[in-house]
Amino acid sequence: MTEKIDKYKVQAALVRSFFDAFSHGVIESQVEDRKEKTTPQSVKKLMLEHYEHIAPAFFDIMFFPLAAMNYKYEDIAALAREAQQRGDDMMALVRTACGDEAYYNAMVEEYKRNFSMLLAGKYLSNADHLEGYVRKAKEETEASVDSDRAIELTVRVVMFAYVRGLRQTGEGARFDRSAHLGQVHPLRGATLFRLMLDAMNILLLDEAVDFADAEAADLASLFLKVCQTQHNFTVMTNEMDRTYSELMKE
């Protein structure tokens, strides 16, 4: 039996993972000097240059994960068709995906928090994210997401957003199968793995993981540390394989 994760926590992790992965994809494709990749100047400059591209990318990538927290998979396509028939714009579509006003408002707050940080040339640390994400109001009923589904949705957001960022500058998403972890690798595997480590940390744990005592070269041990269990690790790597296959077909 899988565990459950609070829906606000999952939603916040999805939004943060989108901004983290998309921005790193853009930066990776444009900045060659490793030391310059995450300087405040580089981050701010590139986010301002791609300001108008971020919202469309967010809506394209996030509609399905947000909807999948609130609806059955088989109902999502019908939901999208009905919205299109009504002529809903992107914001209305995402509002529907969020299920109710409280979750929509929380999503908007997380969007603003992450976007404003990037426009200032900064990234939210895992610790700051976990401390400050929007939580359930006292009067609200507890709601949760199956942990397997939450992991799968987060993996998809990280990989699709990262590749969307790479492609935003006209660079094709290139893949390399030379290394191994779930058999999924964009060319810049190190970046993808760091993004995935952070995403699993904020999704599955309540505090930022300190990797100081972990063997940096041993990716499996690092992922097991944030995934907590072999089951979660397997769910993550299996979804990485599935998402990789989808991306290769695009």
Side-chain angles (χ1 to χ4, degrees):
M1 184 176 180
T2 58
E3 298 180 355
K4 301 288 185 179
I5 305 175
D6 175 75
K7 191 181 287 188
Y8 280 99
K9 183 178 177 67
V10 176
Q11 182 172 262
L14 292 175
V15 175
R16 192 285 184 103
S17 294
F18 166 83
F19 280 101
D20 203 19
F22 180 83
S23 60
H24 274 89
V26 172
I27 291 168
E28 285 283 313
S29 66
Q30 292 200 18
V31 182
E32 294 295 331
D33 188 336
R34 180 177 297 179
K35 293 181 179 179
E36 293 295 319
K37 287 185 183 297
T38 55
T39 62
Q41 294 84 356
S42 293
V43 174
K44 183 176 182 179
K45 176 177 179 292
L46 288 172
M47 290 303 98
L48 287 172
E49 288 178 357
H50 292 275
Y51 184 93
E52 71 277 14
H53 301 139
I54 293 176
F58 181 87
F59 294 127
D60 287 348
I61 292 168
M62 293 292 290
F63 171 76
F64 174 80
L66 291 172
M69 292 197 300
N70 301 295
Y71 304 92
K72 294 179 180 179
Y73 284 150
E74 57 268 26
D75 295 334
I76 295 175
L79 187 77
R81 285 196 300 271
E82 290 169 4
Q84 290 174 344
Q85 290 170 359
R86 291 194 301 267
D88 289 356
D89 60 15
M90 289 188 296
M91 288 299 293
L93 193 61
V94 171
R95 187 187 296 270
T96 299
C98 288
D100 67 33
E101 201 68 15
Y103 290 116
Y104 174 75
N105 290 337
M107 183 278 296
V108 170
E109 287 303 310
E110 293 301 319
Y111 184 104
K112 291 178 179 177
R113 183 165 74 124
N114 283 274
F115 200 178
S116 62
M117 287 289 288
L118 289 174
L119 291 176
K122 303 174 184 178
Y123 283 95
L124 275 174
S125 68
N126 288 354
D128 287 342
H129 169 85
L130 288 168
E131 180 181 354
Y133 74 85
V134 179
R135 288 161 166 81
K136 175 181 74 70
K138 290 182 179 180
E139 65 275 12
E140 287 185 75
T141 303
E142 192 76 31
S144 60
V145 180
D146 179 274
S147 61
D148 284 7
R149 176 174 286 196
I151 292 168
E152 291 165 356
L153 295 175
T154 304
V155 167
R156 291 178 62 84
V157 167
V158 170
M159 294 183 69
F160 272 93
Y162 179 55
V163 170
R164 180 71 170 259
L166 289 174
R167 290 174 174 169
Q168 198 65 56
T169 57
E171 175 175 325
R174 298 175 292 172
F175 292 87
D176 174 21
R177 302 177 189 235
S178 62
H180 178 81
L181 178 67
Q183 302 174 343
V184 183
H185 281 284
L187 178 64
R188 301 168 179 81
T191 299
L192 176 67
F193 291 147
R194 189 202 63 72
L195 292 168
M196 202 67 72
L197 281 167
D198 285 346
M200 292 301 108
N201 185 171
I202 63 172
L203 175 69
L204 299 173
L205 300 172
D206 292 324
E207 60 183 20
V209 168
D210 180 5
F211 293 115
D213 61 344
E215 181 59 49
D218 185 355
L219 281 171
S221 70
L222 293 178
F223 275 103
L224 279 171
K225 190 168 186 178
V226 292
C227 289
Q228 296 290 286
T229 68
Q230 182 64 46
H231 174 80
N232 288 343
F233 176 80
T234 300
V235 172
M236 180 196 73
T237 54
N238 285 345
E239 187 58 33
M240 289 175 74
D241 287 341
R242 283 192 291 269
T243 305
Y244 170 82
S245 296
E246 284 190 43
L247 288 166
M248 288 296 289
K249 293 175 184 177
E250 290 189 349

